[in-house]
Amino acid sequence: MPALSASSHNHSLQPVALQGLLTSGVEFESLPAALSLPAESGLYPVTLVGVPQCPGQINVNGYHTSVFGVFSDCLLDKLPGIKTTGCTVEVIPSLPRLQISTSLPRSARTLQPSSGDEITTSVSVQLYNGETQPLIIKLENIGTEPLEKLEVTSKMVNLKGKLFGDFLSWNLEDTLSQFPLKPGSVAVFTVYIKVKLDFSCHENLLQDLNDDGISVSGLPLSSPFRQVIKPRIENKPMNPQEATKVGDFSHIKTLEAILNFRYSGGQGHTDGYYRNLSLGLHVEVEPSVFFTRVSTLPATSTRQCHLLLDVFNYTEHELMISAKNNEDLVLHAGECQR
């Protein structure tokens, strides 16, 4: 509802016992406001609200006041400086109202999508590269109509670099099996967050292989840890800017996305109306496994060789590395094995 302004030139507090909206059209419950105007306040903003009782059109024509028992009606077309005679509000049928809570903490960072999406709330999480984290979302119907229809979509925000696989995935059927969701009821919706990013520095790996006498190109594996863990003599000196880039193993990448919930129910759904609710997601990704050194050994055939990789566990947890047709390799926190 609009915020209307009134003016007073009294030299003391002016009590206004009652102030509400003047409307026409469908039935409308105006919620009265009581206030005191400070002396010499000039134009004083007052917000007047109300609740429509049925669908249709409401014309807001002005407001009424009660001061010392004297009732006055003030029409908008009589106010100086206001060029309109009122405003018209279209009232649609009632819809359910959805409130969400999640298993992740709220984010101190506010997403600012370029598309202009309005974010209701944002959550954040820190993950290692390759890790999967379930996000449990509780959907509570705080309205008066049953929740019958729910659509969930997602989109990335400010994506930089290549993302492998599906970042967000879910099975909506499990949640829809709990519908229709009656007023006051709660449904559970689970979203799986999986991060697969490229933390490699290709030129370092190629230099390793060239040092071993192998000519290759385009391999997507390498590591900034090679210079830190096992220093080697390079064929050419490295300038300070490149050294900083190679030694920056605390690098963290950021992923941001928006989950949009489009929902409806009751008579509003029958007439084709929906509500929208958006959840922002901020994910910080740390590297997990690095290949710190690459070397080769001759094989029985001159056309083949054995490729040896030194694998470093960057995390604070025990990891298991699996390779095709090979045994699993267990790496403790901070451990490097070949």
Side-chain angles (χ1 to χ4, degrees):
M1 290 302 171
L4 303 179
S5 298
S7 61
S8 173
H9 298 283
N10 295 321
H11 296 278
S12 61
L13 287 179
Q14 178 66 59
V16 180
L18 182 67
Q19 187 168 16
L21 291 171
L22 289 175
T23 64
S24 60
V26 299
E27 184 180 355
F28 180 81
E29 180 187 0
S30 179
L31 303 179
L35 66 149
S36 295
L37 296 178
E40 303 295 339
S41 63
L43 294 178
Y44 192 82
V46 179
T47 300
L48 303 177
V49 298
V51 180
Q53 301 300 303
C54 60
Q57 281 192 344
I58 294 177
N59 297 312
V60 180
N61 304 315
Y63 63 92
H64 61 86
T65 60
S66 173
V67 180
F68 294 126
V70 178
F71 291 87
S72 302
D73 290 343
C74 183
L75 300 178
L76 294 180
D77 58 358
K78 302 298 183 181
L79 293 177
I82 296 183
K83 299 180 181 180
T84 179
T85 58
C87 63
T88 301
V89 179
E90 183 71 25
V91 181
I92 66 172
S94 297
L95 288 168
R97 289 187 60 195
L98 198 58
Q99 179 175 277
I100 61 175
S101 58
T102 76
S103 57
L104 295 180
R106 288 197 174 188
S107 175
R109 176 186 175 90
T110 302
L111 295 186
Q112 297 180 343
S114 57
S115 59
D117 293 297
E118 183 177 349
I119 308 299
T120 306
T121 185
S122 296
V123 296
S124 62
V125 65
Q126 290 182 327
L127 299 176
Y128 286 111
N129 196 28
E131 185 178 0
T132 300
Q133 169 77 40
L135 168 60
I136 300 175
I137 303 174
K138 292 184 178 180
L139 310 172
E140 182 180 2
N141 183 4
I142 61 174
T144 58
E145 297 292 332
L147 178 58
E148 301 171 320
K149 181 73 173 180
L150 176 65
E151 300 172 2
V152 182
T153 57
S154 68
K155 64 178 179 180
M156 301 297 299
V157 180
N158 304 324
L159 178 61
K160 297 179 181 179
K162 187 175 182 180
L163 177 65
F164 300 91
D166 294 329
F167 175 47
L168 301 176
S169 61
W170 59 83
N171 183 1
L172 189 57
E173 295 301 322
D174 293 341
T175 303
L176 295 180
S177 64
Q178 306 172 55
F179 283 26
L181 195 64
K182 297 180 180 180
S185 299
V186 177
V188 176
F189 176 60
T190 303
V191 177
Y192 294 94
I193 308 169
K194 189 169 186 178
V195 289
K196 286 186 178 181
L197 298 176
D198 183 8
F199 281 89
S200 63
C201 301
H202 300 180
E203 63 276 7
N204 292 340
L205 174 64
L206 299 182
Q207 183 63 50
D208 264 340
L209 293 175
N210 289 332
D211 290 345
D212 292 324
I214 305 296
S215 177
V216 294
S217 62
L219 292 180
L221 301 175
S222 187
S223 168
F225 281 92
R226 179 171 61 83
Q227 300 293 330
V228 179
I229 297 175
K230 192 171 183 179
R232 300 176 62 193
I233 300 176
E234 300 294 334
N235 295 330
K236 59 181 179 179
M238 183 179 300
N239 62 49
Q241 184 176 1
E242 291 177 340
T244 302
K245 180 180 178 181
V246 171
D248 183 18
F249 49 85
S250 62
H251 181 63
I252 294 178
K253 295 188 177 183
T254 299
L255 293 175
E256 293 180 332
I258 298 175
L259 274 171
N260 183 264
F261 300 86
R262 186 172 183 261
Y263 63 96
S264 185
Q267 185 60 42
H269 179 224
T270 304
D271 293 349
Y273 293 100
Y274 284 80
R275 291 186 191 269
N276 286 281
L277 187 64
S278 295
L279 173 67
L281 179 61
H282 178 84
V283 181
E284 292 184 348
V285 186
E286 295 186 64
S288 53
V289 172
F290 281 113
F291 296 96
T292 63
R293 177 176 168 81
V294 180
S295 58
T296 59
L297 287 177
T300 55
S301 171
T302 57
R303 294 177 175 270
Q304 296 178 341
C305 67
H306 297 289
L307 184 64
L308 303 180
L309 304 174
D310 288 358
V311 186
F312 176 78
N313 178 6
Y314 175 74
T315 74
E316 300 175 354
H317 310 280
E318 182 179 276
L319 292 181
M320 179 177 292
I321 309 298
S322 299
K324 188 176 181 180
N325 300 326
N326 202 350
E327 295 182 358
D328 294 334
L329 177 65
V330 177
L331 289 177
H332 299 286
E335 184 181 10
C336 183
Q337 289 192 36
R338 174 166 294 186

